[in-house]
């Protein structure tokens, strides 16, 4: 009797489980489609430099566990922090918010090159508020994440650019900061202009004219290496680059000033 009762109850239960599975499967498909659409919209807004619209869009996903939303939110939050109408207190708050989004993204997905890249960038940004000791200490972490980003995606020009900036920064480190670094660290980070140049040129090889600041940094590196003709070439390219973003405008302004110095 028990067996019969069990068998009689089994088909309805199986149907219920199957229906539940189908509904769950359907919901998963809907969510996947929604995610793809949102990310496509986000990437389009980023390509158009629609910073405010993109920020508002991605803030809806700030509690997400999906690294694809989180690293993009870190990136655009940082972009908002760099806007000229943002005061110092807001900039600091947004800079640390961007880092938290990037940190969470890294916790969720360590196999995404963009996660490592934007974590490194945001970590570098907060170093500006935490003093020279922390900033130099973070530099080792920044470099390792950028190297991981390149390992995961060797076709991303921005990653090469950032490593170039890392090398350039330590190549031109003022003597007093070098002394501080030597006191604090057994073997402080070091680099050369030649190493920086290799990364900037590699970035151009991967994606020519992708970023105004890479052109600017090529000009500055050649200046530091006393190669005036090549410095003039790359600084002129930076000056003539279409200024779509605040960073482009900054690069244009600095290029113009450096060209005047070079005569």
């Amino acid at each position: 009797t028990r067996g019969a009762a069990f068998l009689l109850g089994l088909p309805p239960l199986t149907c219920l489980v199957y229906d539940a599975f189908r509904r769950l499967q359907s919901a998963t498909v809907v969510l996947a489609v929604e995610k793809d659409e949102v990310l496509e919209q986000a990437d389009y807004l980023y390509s158009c430099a629609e910073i405010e619209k993109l920020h508002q869009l991605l803030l809806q996903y700030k509690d997400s566990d999906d690294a694809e939303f989180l690293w993009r939110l870190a990136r655009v939050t940082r972009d908002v922090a760099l806007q000229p109408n943002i005061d110092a207190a807001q900039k600091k708050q947004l800079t640390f918010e961007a880092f938290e989004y990037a940190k969470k993204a890294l916790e969720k997905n360590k196999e995404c090159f963009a996660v490592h890249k934007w974590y490194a960038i945001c970590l570098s940004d907060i170093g500006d508020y935490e003093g020279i000791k922390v900033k130099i200490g973070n530099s080792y972490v920044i470099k390792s994440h950028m190297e991981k980003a390149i390992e995961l995606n060797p076709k991303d020009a921005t990653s090469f650019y950032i490593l170039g900036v890392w090398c350039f920064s330590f190549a031109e480190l003022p003597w007093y900061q070098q002394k501080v670094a030597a006191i604090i660290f057994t073997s402080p980070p070091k680099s050369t202009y030649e190493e920086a140049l290799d990364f900037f040129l590699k970035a151009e090889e991967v994606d020519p004219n992708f970023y105004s600041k890479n052109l600017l940094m090529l000009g500055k590196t050649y200046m530091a290496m006393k190669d005036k003709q090549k410095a003039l070439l790359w600084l002129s390219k930076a000056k003539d680059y279409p200024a779509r973003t605040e960073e482009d405008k900054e690069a244009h302004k600095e290029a113009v000033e450096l060209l005047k110095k070079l005569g």
Side-chain angles (χ1 to χ4, degrees):
T1 307
R2 287 182 182 176
F6 177 74
L7 288 172
L8 287 171
L10 183 58
L13 181 60
T14 303
C15 290
L16 287 172
V17 171
Y18 178 71
D19 287 345
F21 172 74
R22 287 293 299 274
R23 286 196 297 271
L24 178 61
Q25 189 179 47
S26 177
T28 302
V29 171
V30 170
L31 287 173
V33 171
E34 179 188 346
K35 173 187 171 180
D36 289 344
E37 289 177 348
V38 172
L39 293 179
E40 185 178 348
Q41 184 182 359
D43 291 342
Y44 173 75
L45 289 172
Y46 183 76
S47 70
C48 298
E50 293 282 0
I51 303 303
E52 290 299 333
K53 290 179 182 178
L54 177 56
H55 191 225
Q56 292 306 311
L57 171 67
L58 291 177
L59 275 176
Q60 299 174 66
Y61 301 91
K62 67 178 182 178
D63 297 320
S64 171
D65 287 332
D66 193 317
E68 293 294 332
F69 288 122
L70 293 168
W71 74 255
R72 285 173 171 83
L73 180 54
R75 178 179 67 179
V76 74
T77 302
R78 178 180 184 272
D79 285 343
V80 174
L82 295 174
Q83 296 300 297
N85 60 324
I86 299 296
D87 64 36
Q90 284 179 301
K91 181 177 182 180
K92 181 178 180 180
Q93 180 183 339
L94 288 164
T95 298
F96 278 88
E97 283 180 15
F99 175 70
E100 289 302 318
Y101 295 136
K103 182 180 176 183
K104 186 178 177 183
L106 185 63
E107 291 168 358
K108 300 302 177 183
N109 188 352
K110 291 182 172 60
E111 297 304 315
C112 174
F113 87 93
V115 168
H116 286 278
K117 177 171 76 172
W118 289 101
Y119 178 82
I121 292 170
C122 293
L123 180 61
S124 176
D125 289 341
I126 65 170
D128 294 337
Y129 298 97
E130 296 186 326
I132 185 64
K133 180 179 178 180
V134 173
K135 193 172 180 69
I136 292 175
N138 285 346
S139 67
Y140 294 101
V141 182
I142 291 165
K143 187 180 183 185
S144 69
H145 281 285
M146 291 314 309
E147 290 171 340
K148 183 64 176 178
I150 288 173
E151 177 189 325
L152 291 168
N153 183 7
K155 296 297 184 182
D156 182 63
T158 311
S159 298
F160 287 105
Y161 162 77
I162 295 164
L163 273 178
V165 172
W166 190 96
C167 293
F168 186 92
S169 298
F170 284 104
E172 69 162 5
L173 198 69
W175 65 269
Y176 61 90
Q177 290 189 6
Q178 291 180 21
K179 282 196 170 184
V180 171
I183 292 169
I184 298 171
F185 303 99
T186 306
S187 41
K190 294 180 181 180
S191 191
T192 64
Y193 292 119
E194 287 76 13
E195 287 177 313
L197 181 64
D198 285 343
F199 284 118
F200 295 137
L201 288 173
K202 181 64 177 177
E204 285 300 310
E205 179 186 328
V206 169
D207 190 2
N209 284 331
F210 76 102
Y211 188 31
S212 58
K213 288 209 166 181
N214 196 64
L215 303 175
L216 175 69
M217 291 307 299
L218 276 162
K220 291 176 70 171
T221 306
Y222 279 119
M223 277 186 70
M225 295 170 67
K226 311 300 183 187
D227 190 332
K228 183 177 179 180
Q229 291 306 311
K230 288 183 179 178
L232 286 170
L233 170 66
W234 290 102
L235 289 173
S236 296
K237 288 187 177 185
K239 177 181 72 71
D240 296 334
Y241 192 91
R244 296 188 308 110
T245 68
E246 288 304 317
E247 288 187 322
D248 293 336
K249 293 173 185 175
E250 290 171 5
H252 171 86
K253 182 180 178 182
E254 188 172 355
V256 169
E257 292 171 354
L258 291 174
L259 284 167
K260 286 179 181 177
K261 288 183 180 179
L262 285 174

